[in-house]
Amino acid sequence: MHPYLITAKPGRVRRALTALRVRTVRTLAFTVMTVLGAAVLTVRCARPVINYLAIRAIFLELWAAQRLGRPPVSGFVGAGITDEFVNEFHRARRTATTNA
């Protein structure tokens, strides 16, 4: 049972403002969900293209390194980034707190 059934009902203006507020919040939530969904879809669709371009860039760098007689740089940079990521990940696991 709603409390206003025992006492006085809210006025028309208050009920209209409440309905407007609810509709506005729902519209805003729907808009945010739509924008986030479009962003996720764009990233997911672009991922194969990015992977293809990365592979082509690696092959181009290997070709250039072979022609110049120097080692490819991306292997060293990628290994360093991977090592740093692993260190950071394990640091986060060691310092994580549990809610017991």
Side-chain angles (χ1 to χ4, degrees):
M1 177 178 268
H2 295 290
Y4 60 78
L5 293 177
I6 297 171
T7 59
K9 283 185 178 181
R12 287 183 183 183
V13 173
R14 179 172 235 147
R15 284 186 291 179
L17 289 176
T18 300
L20 180 66
R21 186 185 74 229
V22 168
R23 184 172 296 234
T24 303
V25 168
R26 286 182 180 170
T27 303
L28 182 63
F30 180 76
T31 303
V32 167
M33 287 177 9
T34 304
V35 168
L36 286 176
V40 167
L41 182 64
T42 303
V43 169
R44 291 189 130 206
C45 290
R47 189 173 175 189
V49 174
I50 293 170
N51 287 344
Y52 176 78
L53 291 175
I55 290 170
R56 289 292 147 213
I58 290 169
F59 282 135
L60 180 63
E61 183 194 10
L62 290 175
W63 174 82
Q66 183 182 17
R67 294 286 181 244
L68 294 175
R70 296 184 179 174
V73 179
S74 64
F76 301 126
V77 173
I81 291 172
T82 301
D83 290 341
E84 187 59 34
F85 176 76
V86 168
N87 290 338
E88 183 67 28
F89 176 72
H90 287 301
R91 186 179 312 122
R93 285 184 59 200
R94 283 192 307 267
T95 60
T97 59
T98 59
N99 295 333

